[in-house]
Amino acid sequence: MSRFPWCRTTKRSKARLAADGAIGMIRIRELDHLVLRVVDLDKMLRFYCGALGCTIERRQDSIGLVQLRAGRSLIDLVPVDGKLGAAGGAAPGKGGRNLDHFCLRVEPFDAAAIRAQLEAHGVAAGPVEARYGAEGAGPSIYVTDPEGNVVELKGPPGG
């Protein structure tokens, strides 16, 4: 038996997982996006677009958001001196963090079932809101992990 029975392994069969009660309602398909709080947007764009080959998918300069296409996923850059970035506290460094949140694409997205599973594990969930991700706008729910990291659970576009 695993030391961590609440975590599935890829080597166990679905029948075994079901028998162990390890198959829940939340099924993660992939990483949808992550949001980095940045001090020097130009330097970050040179790195992610120039060095890594990302492309600019969408810009919302009024709120301080640049979304880069990274394969099937997005990397969002949020300058700390912009509207969104200022809401995240201190600039990245010893006194501040640079990861705002990361997003997991969930399929199927059944808000009631997701909330029930989270509640069963003592996890508080934010409201369902439409947010833009790697596949377009769709429903999502924010939760916070035990160490304070924000995780977005995202459904399909238009879902």
Side-chain angles (χ1 to χ4, degrees):
M1 184 71 158
S2 167
R3 271 185 47 203
F4 308 103
W6 53 90
C7 287
R8 295 183 283 172
T9 65
T10 56
K11 294 179 182 177
R12 295 169 66 194
S13 72
K14 285 190 178 186
R16 172 71 190 258
L17 290 170
D20 291 346
I23 292 183
M25 295 304 299
I26 299 174
R27 299 247 166 62
I28 297 169
R29 193 182 80 182
E30 64 194 4
L31 182 69
D32 184 88
H33 69 272
L34 61 87
V35 180
L36 295 175
R37 300 177 68 247
V38 303
V39 174
D40 188 333
L41 179 61
D42 289 338
K43 188 182 287 184
M44 294 296 273
L45 286 170
R46 281 193 301 276
F47 174 77
Y48 283 100
C49 294
L52 297 184
C54 295
T55 57
I56 296 175
E57 168 117 350
R58 193 168 94 142
R59 286 188 81 123
Q60 291 185 295
D61 293 324
S62 62
I63 60 171
L65 171 65
V66 179
Q67 294 179 295
L68 306 178
R69 175 61 57 185
R72 290 172 47 149
S73 303
L74 291 177
I75 298 171
D76 294 355
L77 302 179
V78 176
V80 295
D81 59 355
K83 185 176 180 179
L84 287 179
K94 289 185 180 184
R97 58 194 171 91
N98 81 330
L99 179 68
D100 179 79
H101 74 275
F102 66 94
C103 176
L104 299 172
R105 174 65 163 80
V106 176
E107 194 169 282
F109 189 88
D110 178 337
I114 290 170
R115 285 186 176 290
Q117 182 171 338
L118 293 169
E119 188 175 292
H121 289 272
V123 177
V128 176
E129 293 186 25
R131 295 184 177 93
Y132 189 85
E135 297 176 302
S140 76
I141 298 172
Y142 281 160
V143 298
T144 303
D145 77 13
E147 294 194 359
N149 296 298
V150 178
V151 181
E152 180 181 353
L153 303 174
K154 182 134 180 15

